[in-house]
Amino acid sequence: MYTQALNDLPTPHNLEDAEKMANFQTRIDSEDRIEANDWMPEAYRRTLVRQISQHAHSEIIGQLPEGAWITRAPSLRRKAALLAKVQDECGHGLYLYAAAETLNASREALMDQLMEGKAKYSSIFNYPTMTWADIGAIGWLVDGAAIMNQIPLCRCSYGPYARAMIRVCKEESFHQRQGFEIMMTLAKGSARQKAMAQDALNRWWWPSLMMFGPPDTDSQHSDQSTRWKIKRFSNDELRQKFVDATVPQAQFLGLTLPDPDLRQDEVTGNWMYGEIDWEEFKQVISGNGPCNQDRLASRRKAHEEGAWVREAAAAYAARQASRNAA
Ligand SMILES: [Fe+2]
Ligand SMILES: [Fe+2]
């Protein structure tokens, strides 16, 4: 809206917006943090709401495939670690919904959009978790990719989002380590255990690369997000960093990445990877992945089963308020 306004004939109102816009960009350029009560362009607010809410939904939906393994974890130690991780993901969702609320997007409205199937979340969470090794592969790869994405967000220009990311990243690093440790135990175990780890890697590798989003040539929102310092690196840059960090880890585990085209560039040292199946990504992100329907059904069921908690909290708050008034 404001960018168009700048192209219109100058009216006093538009002039004022143009001045605000210029001041806003100056603050961004000087690495100033934008806070909830500061003036911001409507498009900046909308971009953040879109990004933060997609991130929040991903955390909330992301608990589901792993939560399904809490009762089947192979030891008490594994169960305790997985339980803690799943609780962390729930907490990440809550910080993020709170950050979106500072931009006037209500948590209830965002949750309704998710349950109506109208909201986007990370494509990775629409794949099934078939064996215990999937829990290792998710921690290692999915949380590893999340860290790559989220470390730069600790320097995002919007204060509430950036601050939420600092704690989130610390917890993600614990998740990545617990996943890698599961993979290491399996990879160094019996032949069957190693085969299970390899199978999980085969299934999670490509979806993990898709997590960074479409290639830079197709990415619609990147330029403006970069100018506003919401985004610090492009999708392809982050994907490359992730591949470069992960290849030596796979070698250490003695596992093979399922990409016959993978080779190290002699000049840059970067690991060059094969073609990503963007058609699969498009299908999964638009609701046709292997588990989209299951995930939304699980989320709706959890929401319905939690209705009594929300009602009890509302009744308690109402009683406290009437006591205080009395
Ligand atoms: Fe998380
Ligand atoms: Fe995580």
Side-chain angles (χ1 to χ4, degrees):
M1 167 170 121
Y2 289 92
T3 20
Q4 271 175 7
L6 288 173
N7 296 331
D8 288 346
L9 284 176
T11 62
H13 176 71
N14 285 345
L15 278 177
E16 187 189 51
D17 280 350
E19 200 182 312
K20 283 179 179 169
M21 283 289 283
N23 289 340
F24 180 79
Q25 191 62 49
T26 307
R27 288 188 62 191
I28 299 268
D29 293 343
S30 58
E31 300 287 331
D32 209 359
R33 280 276 157 81
I34 307 301
E35 297 297 337
N37 292 329
D38 295 346
W39 184 89
M40 63 185 80
E42 178 58 19
Y44 177 83
R45 191 189 70 79
R46 278 204 311 264
T47 300
L48 279 167
V49 169
R50 190 191 68 243
Q51 182 170 331
I52 295 172
S53 65
Q54 284 181 14
H55 191 165
H57 298 327
S58 302
E59 301 282 358
I60 295 296
I61 295 288
Q63 304 170 84
L64 300 169
E66 293 183 280
W69 277 92
I70 292 172
T71 55
R72 291 177 285 171
S75 69
L76 184 59
R77 177 171 165 265
R78 293 291 187 210
K79 194 192 290 278
L82 182 58
L83 190 59
K85 177 189 195 285
V86 170
Q87 282 180 330
D88 286 351
E89 305 301 7
C90 177
H92 298 174
L94 298 182
Y95 308 150
L96 288 160
Y97 287 126
E101 281 184 317
T102 67
L103 295 157
N104 295 333
S106 86
R107 185 185 301 191
E108 290 76 13
L110 294 175
M111 196 49 83
D112 286 348
Q113 283 170 12
L114 176 65
M115 285 186 296
E116 287 162 15
K118 292 178 185 161
K120 286 212 165 89
Y121 55 85
S122 179
S123 57
I124 193 97
F125 300 120
N126 291 313
Y127 289 87
T129 38
M130 324 260 274
T131 71
W132 172 250
D134 290 39
I135 300 304
I138 291 178
W140 172 35
L141 301 173
V142 177
D143 293 90
I147 294 170
M148 250 349 144
N149 254 321
Q150 292 168 12
I151 292 274
L153 290 173
C154 298
R155 293 188 294 129
C156 162
S157 58
Y158 188 58
Y161 191 26
R163 288 190 289 274
M165 280 305 108
I166 293 170
R167 176 165 171 179
V168 167
C169 284
K170 286 187 179 148
E171 292 176 346
E172 295 302 356
S173 107
F174 154 72
H175 301 166
Q176 198 269 353
R177 281 180 217 181
Q178 69 90 39
F180 189 77
E181 202 225 340
I182 291 172
M183 292 302 270
M184 197 150 70
T185 306
L186 293 172
K188 309 274 178 239
S190 67
R192 261 181 81 187
Q193 285 173 313
K194 187 169 181 183
M196 198 163 89
Q198 181 64 56
D199 171 63
L201 172 57
N202 293 349
R203 285 180 290 106
W204 289 94
W205 174 248
W206 291 104
S208 303
L209 296 192
M210 292 175 199
M211 261 180 90
F212 294 90
D216 293 352
T217 42
D218 294 0
S219 185
Q220 323 162 22
H221 305 292
S222 279
D223 287 357
Q224 187 59 65
S225 286
T226 307
R227 270 197 295 279
W228 279 332
K229 298 195 178 172
I230 295 171
K231 222 177 156 131
R232 301 271 178 172
F233 297 98
S234 75
N235 294 354
D236 286 336
E237 284 169 340
L238 290 169
R239 194 170 3 249
Q240 188 63 57
K241 276 173 184 273
F242 173 72
V243 173
D244 290 343
T246 310
V247 171
Q249 294 170 355
Q251 288 170 338
F252 183 81
L253 291 172
L255 299 176
T256 309
L257 292 170
D259 180 356
D261 296 326
L262 194 71
R263 58 171 184 88
Q264 193 166 24
D265 187 288
E266 283 171 14
V267 181
T268 61
N270 290 337
W271 283 92
M272 311 311 289
Y273 48 91
E275 196 66 39
I276 295 172
D277 184 352
W278 291 115
E279 185 48 39
E280 176 181 319
F281 174 76
K282 264 186 224 156
Q283 287 299 324
V284 178
I285 206 88
S286 49
N288 304 317
C291 297
N292 294 56
Q293 296 309 319
D294 283 6
R295 298 287 183 257
L296 286 184
S298 303
R299 180 81 273 282
R300 287 185 197 115
K301 183 165 171 275
H303 191 76
E304 280 156 23
E305 288 175 356
W308 70 272
V309 179
R310 293 188 298 277
E311 282 160 21
Y316 179 76
R319 202 179 65 189
Q320 289 298 102
S322 72
R323 269 195 195 157
N324 290 344

